Amino acid sequence: MRKFEDTYRHKGLRKKLMDTLREKGITDERVLEAMNNIPRHFFLDTAFDNIAYEDKAFPIAENQTISQPYTVAYQTQLLQVKPQEKVLEIGTGSTYQATVLAEMGAKVFTIERQKKLFEKTKNYIFKSKYPNLKFFYGDGFEGLPTFAPFDKVIITAAAPFIPPKLIDQLKPGGKMVVPVDEDHHQRMLRITKNADGSTSEEAFQNFSFVPMLSGKNG
Ligand code: SAH
């Protein structure tokens, strides 16, 4: 059995990482506080213990990645999450991003299409700490109609287009943060659903994500 320890060294490295994120332009202290509270090294293989607090993406199982801390902070900041809001995440992956949202007090519903990654969430380390975080196996393009509508939607894989069913599942006034494919990168977009059901779009900087694929795998 793996022993999970959050030592003074880990905590110190984490604090430094938060300073790096501030230097790179992250300003929402609630996001930084949540990330400072979560031991990122718990979400990685022990081989990454010494580098877990570098501002880098790392491989996890099934050829997927845990997003770079800067990317997690950036998307979370754009999402403007408030406590008790219902948030749908597409792409559970390592569960790190979902944990950040749960730590901020949101009711989090996260979907993963890779069966093996979903199976791992059965041993999710913070199960008792975050009863507000629920895991689903499915295709993110379909969303979760039974639990809709959501205040916020966050997509953590490169979307070929803005998934229409996820717009349907947003509340009026709700927001979606989604990296959408352009040539060799993704442009971060924030979509706001207006009261009349129409949408407005804001464009931000470019990122690089693993692809959002349709259908389930496994
Ligand atoms: N949020 C994750 C990032 C994981 S990378 C983290 O914090 O670690 C993106 C994830 O999206 C991968 O695990 C991939 O399998 C998943 N994914 C890709 N397309 C998907 C889809 N259509 N539905 C659900 N998950 C999807």
Side-chain angles (χ1 to χ4, degrees):
M1 259 300 256
R2 175 169 170 191
K3 213 167 131 206
F4 289 98
E5 272 182 306
D6 192 24
T7 64
Y8 280 111
R9 189 179 64 86
H10 291 117
K11 290 189 171 92
L13 291 171
R14 202 148 68 234
K15 232 171 178 260
K16 273 199 187 142
L17 173 59
M18 297 314 126
D19 290 337
T20 304
L21 297 178
R22 275 187 200 96
E23 280 159 23
K24 290 186 175 177
I26 303 298
T27 51
D28 187 336
E29 284 299 324
R30 288 191 319 124
V31 172
L32 293 165
E33 191 191 332
M35 290 178 70
N36 193 45
N37 288 343
I38 299 165
R40 186 175 188 245
H41 63 287
F42 287 8
F43 297 79
L44 290 162
D45 194 272
T46 46
F48 294 96
D49 199 78
N50 284 321
I51 50 174
Y53 295 102
E54 292 181 11
D55 189 19
K56 288 187 182 145
F58 291 113
I60 56 170
E62 307 305 306
N63 271 327
Q64 301 303 324
T65 56
I66 177 171
S67 301
Q68 186 183 338
Y70 175 67
T71 307
V72 172
Y74 194 96
Q75 283 197 283
T76 311
Q77 177 167 294
L78 282 183
L79 205 61
Q80 300 170 327
V81 189
K82 295 177 199 80
Q84 302 306 321
E85 278 188 341
K86 275 170 73 181
V87 180
L88 173 65
E89 183 200 24
I90 311 302
T92 312
S94 70
T95 73
Y96 178 73
Q97 170 75 71
T99 303
V100 172
L101 297 168
E103 170 69 18
M104 291 179 76
K107 292 180 189 143
V108 186
F109 302 76
T110 180
I111 313 180
E112 175 56 56
R113 69 179 289 279
Q114 295 274 359
K115 183 89 184 252
K116 284 193 183 144
L117 290 177
F118 170 72
E119 294 292 339
K120 281 186 173 207
T121 65
K122 292 185 177 150
N123 302 316
Y124 177 61
I125 181 171
F126 293 122
K127 206 174 265 180
S128 51
K129 185 168 184 192
Y130 303 115
N132 51 328
L133 169 50
K134 304 254 184 308
F135 299 103
F136 298 84
Y137 173 51
D139 177 1
F141 281 100
E142 300 297 321
L144 287 174
T146 353
F147 295 91
F150 299 96
D151 296 285
K152 305 281 164 70
V153 174
I154 176 173
I155 302 186
T156 67
F161 49 83
I162 297 162
K165 290 183 183 170
L166 301 188
I167 297 286
D168 292 345
Q169 292 173 31
L170 262 185
K171 285 184 191 172
K175 289 181 198 299
M176 177 190 298
V177 173
V178 52
V180 176
D181 277 333
E182 279 180 4
D183 290 336
H184 296 290
H185 52 249
Q186 291 82 46
R187 166 83 63 177
M188 194 65 76
L189 300 181
R190 181 167 60 191
I191 315 295
T192 302
K193 187 168 178 176
N194 304 316
D196 65 0
S198 64
T199 54
S200 326
E201 188 178 303
E202 299 163 275
F204 298 90
Q205 65 191 59
N206 293 331
F207 287 87
S208 181
F209 282 84
V210 296
M212 180 175 181
L213 303 170
S214 48
K216 290 189 272 191
N217 185 0

